[in-house]
Amino acid sequence: MSAIAATQKQILDLKKEKDFCILAHCYQSEEILEIADLVGDSYALSKKAMDMPQKNVIMCGVRFMAETTKMLSPEKHVFLSNPVAGCPMAEQLDYDMLSQLKEMYPGYTVVAYINTTAELKTLCDVCVTSSSAVKIISNIENKDILFIPDCNLGDYKKKQLPEKNIKLVHGGCPTHVRMSLKDVERARKLHPNALLLVHPECLPEVTAEADYVGSTTGIMDFAKESAQKEFIIGTENSIVQHLQFACPDKEFYALSKDCVCHNMKATTLVDVLHVLQGRGGEEITLDEEIRLKAKRSIEEMIRLG
Ligand code: 13P
Ligand code: SF4
């Protein structure tokens, strides 16, 4: 048995014995997806985590995902498998900056991408994810929307919702903005028969060129269901590998070799094992006042989505 398979077996045995479930975002490595009870995009993870019967949860993803799980399931012990795994975008705005923005835009409904800290969520009316944003924003009665913190995702959704007055702030995912129009031109030239599938966190000039724009699971479902055989993938490069394993008769190419999220890649199998052995990870705790205030924006997301 390989070292990877042996570690996976130890994890599977321990998680059963100690009543843990493992949640993994699609950007995690293949070996982590293999031991997860639930794999999904940000929306699926936050929604379905509540229904998992186990009393302990390990989040293989980034900090805001573990915080969201704790917000919705305070009775569970929620662990972030690698404490250094944060999302840089989630920390681009702080409490004071958002308070000032709210003063500048009175009467606006504050819509936050779920990639925000728990503290910031306390100031927001509703959260959205890349897969749920259009539906949720169109279900909000107010026409005036202040969208934080990703101006690229916001710009893409704004184009889909011309009836809304959406104000954006400067911010975004440092991983997805690495992909440029030059990358698109080069990839199209190299793979003229391939469809271009990208995440809405990409720059507007990149999404404008895409054949499909969607969340991580949206991209994966599109590629699996499509009759086409070749795809250029414009999101975190783990998706290229996951799709290649899932669809061996198709070809997948990364739009850019640089689209790697080091935070999502921080988690290893050994990190997961160490949480189960009680010698690693970080148990998420949230101040009860912050949790209750922040939770409202997540509950609104689930209600409107
Ligand atoms: P989704 O999982 O909602 O597609 O978001 C991608 C992402 O960047 C998560 O950090
Ligand atoms: Fe954050 Fe971007 Fe990494 Fe997602 S891919 S965790 S948005 S930095």
Side-chain angles (χ1 to χ4, degrees):
M1 195 188 277
S2 71
I4 290 176
T7 311
Q8 286 178 320
K9 179 161 184 336
Q10 256 182 302
I11 289 172
L12 293 175
D13 291 346
L14 271 175
K15 90 177 168 74
K16 206 169 164 193
E17 184 191 317
K18 298 194 169 179
D19 197 28
F20 271 84
C21 80
I22 299 177
L23 308 182
H25 187 268
C26 314
Y27 289 161
Q28 296 293 299
S29 63
E30 198 69 31
E31 62 211 38
I32 289 193
L33 301 197
E34 283 170 3
I35 46 102
D37 297 276
L38 180 66
V39 176
D41 63 11
S42 312
Y43 189 69
L45 289 181
S46 54
K47 207 163 158 260
K48 291 188 192 155
M50 282 187 296
D51 307 327
M52 302 305 277
Q54 295 85 351
K55 64 178 195 299
N56 305 299
V57 180
I58 299 179
M59 175 59 75
C60 300
V62 290
R63 182 170 294 272
F64 77 82
M65 297 176 174
E67 282 185 351
T68 307
T69 307
K70 182 68 184 174
M71 249 172 239
L72 295 173
S73 306
E75 72 292 353
K76 295 189 183 187
H77 295 283
V78 178
F79 296 84
L80 178 61
S81 42
N82 187 326
V84 304
C87 168
M89 169 159 51
E91 283 154 30
Q92 282 165 353
L93 271 181
D94 66 20
Y95 191 91
D96 292 342
M97 286 155 91
L98 183 55
S99 304
Q100 281 172 25
L101 279 168
K102 283 179 67 156
E103 276 171 28
M104 282 167 67
Y105 296 105
Y108 279 64
T109 297
V110 182
V111 176
Y113 193 21
I114 197 165
N115 301 38
T116 39
T117 61
E119 191 190 28
L120 214 61
K121 286 185 177 83
T122 62
L123 292 176
C124 302
D125 297 301
V126 55
C127 283
V128 295
T129 64
S130 55
S131 56
S132 63
V134 167
K135 189 171 179 199
I136 292 172
I137 298 173
S138 56
N139 281 340
I140 295 172
E141 268 181 42
N142 195 352
K143 185 170 152 290
D144 298 327
I145 305 289
L146 174 62
F147 187 89
I148 59 143
D150 186 346
C151 64
N152 298 316
L153 175 77
D155 179 77
Y156 182 70
K157 301 299 170 187
K158 191 173 164 154
K159 287 174 185 142
Q160 292 177 294
L161 295 158
E163 69 282 11
K164 296 282 185 184
N165 170 35
I166 303 182
K167 292 275 180 249
L168 306 175
V169 295
H170 189 74
C173 165
T175 305
H176 283 84
V177 300
R178 283 184 210 137
M179 290 175 286
S180 66
L181 197 52
K182 265 202 175 133
D183 292 320
V184 173
E185 287 162 3
R186 191 175 43 227
R188 288 266 198 217
K189 217 171 176 179
L190 276 170
H191 312 292
N193 299 322
L195 292 182
L196 173 63
L197 319 182
V198 311
H199 196 279
E201 287 173 12
C202 291
L203 294 168
E205 58 265 37
V206 172
T207 45
E209 291 297 317
D211 298 296
Y212 172 82
V213 181
S215 74
T216 47
T217 45
I219 289 174
M220 291 182 81
D221 292 345
F222 182 95
K224 285 175 190 167
E225 285 157 24
S226 169
Q228 293 280 338
K229 292 285 179 208
E230 289 181 71
F231 303 88
I232 301 159
I233 303 297
T235 191
E236 215 281 337
N237 284 345
S238 52
I239 301 295
V240 178
Q241 194 192 30
H242 300 327
L243 279 169
Q244 198 60 76
F245 279 124
C247 313
D249 59 325
K250 298 183 178 180
E251 302 293 335
F252 298 92
Y253 316 106
L255 176 55
S256 161
K257 67 175 173 33
D258 296 325
C259 195
V260 176
C261 175
H262 298 293
N263 284 280
M264 281 287 184
K265 289 288 159 312
T267 302
T268 64
L269 269 185
V270 172
D271 290 332
V272 180
L273 180 64
H274 283 176
V275 178
L276 291 164
Q277 291 171 333
R279 59 184 180 118
E282 178 185 325
E283 180 164 4
I284 301 294
T285 53
L286 290 174
D287 174 88
E288 188 59 5
E289 199 183 324
I290 291 184
R291 187 186 75 77
L292 289 173
K293 275 194 195 161
K295 184 176 155 232
R296 286 200 302 245
S297 62
I298 299 289
E299 285 171 341
E300 269 302 273
M301 172 181 90
I302 292 169
R303 188 181 72 82
L304 295 170

